[in-house]
Amino acid sequence: MLSERKKKILAAVVDEYVRTAEPVGSKAIAQTAGLGCSSATIRNELAELVSLGYLEQPHTSAGRVPTPMGYRMYVNELMQKQKLSLEETEDINRRMNQRLRELDDTIDSVSRLASQLTDYPALALTKRSAVTIKRFDIIYVDANTFILVVMLSDNTVKNKLVRLPISVDQRLVQRLSALFNSGFTGITDEQITPLLINSTERAADDTMGITSVIAAFAIEVLSAAETPTAFVSGENRLLSQPEFRDPDKAHRLMGYLSGGGYLLPPDQTPAGAGEIRVLIGPENVAEELKDSSVVIATYDAGDNTKGMIGVVGPTRMDYSTVAAKLSILAAGLSRRLGSGEAPPEGLHNKLIVKGDSNE
């Protein structure tokens, strides 16, 4: 066990050594540590810290530097925990979100490539499996400000800076943080009911509606996580097809695709990575697609995230060629983004046509 004075001296040595990368002497400690004792006393304490293994002296006349044991004591007990400013926090989150957007950039590029390869409009999307919130952090900033941070079950992080027209007690924020971590984690947005919100509000003794603000953010984050992200490319390629020379017919389909229209029902995606599915004419989900055919390939983006690449064209399209190209693209995406493997030999010739058997 180190005395408080030894701990302060050890902390001062580590702080100064980290700052200067030079051995630290008793004079520097006397100037920075505010110990209220003589340099001779500090030298004696430094010598004892050396003998105990927390510091070492590179040369006889040099100051001291921390040993690994000294750093461990510093990290475990002595260092001051730093709080990032709002600007630093926002900068880190901005950079993290930029990295997360790289997935979207990749899928957007593949959508454009699929359109170029097939000469048809292409749509690529990702859809995560159902996620829940794994942890809430509610960080008190001042009487009118706090930061909401939620970590989802797929390890993505979302945050929101909340400014209030009223003053909030820090103890209320702490109570709400504990209540949300015990009652709102591991559930879906549909399970965040008015009854749950009201009971939490009463348990926290929240008379200012802060509970509802936090619950609304949780619902917003969970709903957004379940919404597929779609990228459409090459809608104008329809105009080169004889079947779409009728401007009204072409514009209806182009408008549907540009608006993020579904190629499959919203609650359905092809079952397995590498699977090719063909929907012909009336088999399609939307009225705008009834005169068209859709070829869809599924890929695995990892982290419980599935996606698909679809091409829309006339019913006379070359299904085998289109399916082969989409299969290659999907396999490449699975290798790059997920844990999938390239499709087995000949898979590009195996089509699953709606209404037929899978054989």
Side-chain angles (χ1 to χ4, degrees), residues 113-120 276 278 295-297 311 316-330 347-351:
L113 179 58
S115 180
Q116 293 168 4
L117 290 173
T118 61
D119 203 28
Y120 296 128
I276 303 294
V278 179
V295 181
I296 299 168
V311 163
R316 64 174 177 84
M317 75 165 69
D318 184 345
Y319 295 106
S320 181
T321 300
V322 170
K325 291 178 178 179
L326 292 187
S327 179
I328 295 298
L329 289 174
L347 182 63
H348 59 280
N349 289 321
K350 180 180 178 182
L351 305 184

Side-chain angles (χ1 to χ4, degrees), residues 50-330:
V50 170
S51 66
L52 290 170
Y54 292 99
L55 299 176
E56 60 184 358
Q57 192 172 21
H59 307 288
T60 305
S61 60
R64 275 73 169 180
V65 299
T67 64
M69 191 167 81
Y71 282 123
R72 172 49 56 198
M73 168 65 76
Y74 179 83
V75 170
N76 285 356
E77 298 187 25
L78 308 179
M79 70 178 180
Q80 296 293 318
K81 292 184 178 180
Q82 298 294 320
K83 290 186 177 181
L84 296 180
S85 68
L86 289 178
E87 290 77 12
E88 290 172 314
T89 301
E90 290 172 356
D91 180 58
I92 290 172
N93 284 317
R94 185 170 58 251
R95 295 187 185 192
M96 180 176 62
N97 290 335
Q98 180 62 46
R99 293 300 301 270
L100 292 175
R101 283 197 294 270
E102 290 180 1
L103 171 63
D104 290 348
D105 292 340
T106 299
I107 296 167
D108 185 25
S109 298
V110 170
S111 171
R112 285 186 270 113
L113 179 58
S115 180
Q116 293 168 4
L117 290 173
T118 61
D119 203 28
Y120 296 128
L123 181 146
L125 64 81
T126 56
K127 184 175 182 180
R128 291 183 174 87
S129 299
V131 297
T132 60
I133 293 175
K134 185 159 64 174
R135 192 179 78 236
F136 285 84
D137 288 308
I138 307 175
I139 304 167
Y140 183 86
V141 178
D142 56 43
N144 301 100
T145 312
F146 62 89
I147 301 173
L148 284 173
V149 183
V150 297
M151 175 178 284
L152 300 178
S153 54
D154 63 0
N155 292 325
T156 57
V157 177
K158 302 292 181 181
N159 65 81
K160 180 179 183 179
L161 178 66
V162 179
R163 299 188 188 276
L164 301 168
I166 52 176
S167 295
V168 179
D169 187 84
Q170 186 170 3
R171 287 171 296 182
L172 173 60
V173 171
Q174 292 170 344
R175 285 198 302 274
L176 285 169
S177 183
L179 288 167
F180 270 84
N181 274 298
S182 63
F184 287 74
T185 52
I187 61 176
T188 65
D189 56 336
E190 295 178 351
Q191 294 173 299
I192 302 178
T193 61
L195 179 62
L196 177 59
I197 295 170
N198 291 338
S199 63
T200 304
E201 199 169 54
R202 289 193 300 272
D205 195 20
D206 172 21
T207 60
M208 296 177 288
I210 308 302
T211 304
S212 297
V213 172
I214 301 170
F217 179 63
I219 293 171
E220 175 188 331
V221 167
L222 290 173
S223 298
E226 295 171 3
T227 302
T229 304
F231 300 92
V232 182
S233 301
E235 304 98 309
N236 60 347
R237 294 180 186 271
L238 284 174
L239 300 176
S240 64
Q241 302 297 327
E243 291 86 346
F244 295 98
R245 284 177 182 162
D246 179 348
D248 290 339
K249 182 178 177 182
H251 289 142
R252 278 197 304 273
L253 181 52
M254 290 168 66
Y256 180 78
L257 296 174
S258 299
Y262 292 104
L263 299 186
L264 289 175
D267 60 348
Q268 183 184 147
T269 56
E275 178 183 299
I276 303 294
R277 185 168 180 180
V278 179
L279 303 175
I280 300 173
E283 300 165 355
N284 283 291
V285 64
E287 189 63 34
E288 291 86 348
L289 297 171
K290 296 300 184 184
D291 295 325
S292 309
S293 283
V294 175
V295 181
I296 299 168
T298 311
Y299 63 88
D300 176 8
D303 295 327
N304 294 318
T305 301
K306 299 293 183 184
M308 64 181 188
I309 312 167
V311 163
V312 179
T315 54
R316 64 174 177 84
M317 75 165 69
D318 184 345
Y319 295 106
S320 181
T321 300
V322 170
K325 291 178 178 179
L326 292 187
S327 179
I328 295 298
L329 289 174

